[in-house]
Amino acid sequence: RQRLTHSSWLTGVAVLGRGDRVATTNSKGWKTVWTVSSGDRLQRLYEPPPLRMQPAIGVKGFPQDERVLTFNLQEAAIWDGASGKMRLRLLRVPRRLGGVVVAPGGDVVAACGDGRVSVWDAASGAELGVLADGAAQDG
């Protein structure tokens, strides 16, 4: 059995789909998908220069497929783990992002930070709502 190796400090890991793949993020900003059984690198997640994000500090997997959610303190994006392409960037992410979650069905993503919670449709990126100070607001 091989070991999954990164060239720098790991900042996040997530199990993808059926559990045969994992996604990792590291301190240099690399976002990588690996095969668990062999340790082979399958894909590096890459955004073209106009879309470049700050280095990711965390990653979440979607339970039904190979989608990957990466995030840092200011932004989040959903990727196709098979192709390595960014599917969408989530807009209006709370500043000073504190936590991110993918719903068990994989259809909704939520993030909290800066005194509010934002919720998005994971397929379209449409903001479904914002909770701030305990009150729902239209998005």
Side-chain angles (χ1 to χ4, degrees), residues 13-62:
V13 64
V15 176
L16 304 183
R18 299 179 310 270
D20 57 341
R21 297 176 184 192
V22 295
T24 60
T25 56
N26 72 16
S27 59
K28 291 185 178 177
W30 289 107
K31 299 164 282 291
T32 309
V33 177
W34 308 86
T35 299
V36 173
S37 61
S38 68
D40 292 337
R41 182 178 73 203
L42 294 175
Q43 194 63 254
R44 280 230 167 114
L45 308 180
Y46 174 76
E47 65 271 23
L51 302 175
R52 189 140 303 148
M53 293 176 65
Q54 297 291 324
I57 60 168
V59 61
K60 301 283 183 180
F62 282 74

Side-chain angles (χ1 to χ4, degrees), residues 47-91:
E47 65 271 23
L51 302 175
R52 189 140 303 148
M53 293 176 65
Q54 297 291 324
I57 60 168
V59 61
K60 301 283 183 180
F62 282 74
Q64 283 73 28
D65 55 39
E66 299 298 317
R67 286 179 294 165
V68 177
L69 172 69
T70 63
F71 57 93
N72 58 42
L73 296 178
Q74 300 174 337
E75 55 194 347
I78 297 175
W79 304 80
D80 181 325
S83 71
K85 303 248 190 282
M86 184 186 293
R87 283 189 175 187
L88 57 95
R89 183 175 293 200
L90 300 177
L91 302 177

Side-chain angles (χ1 to χ4, degrees), residues 62 67 78 87-88 90 106-109 120-126 128:
F62 282 74
R67 286 179 294 165
I78 297 175
R87 283 189 175 187
L88 57 95
L90 300 177
D107 55 340
V108 174
V109 173
W120 298 271
D121 178 281
S124 69
L128 300 176

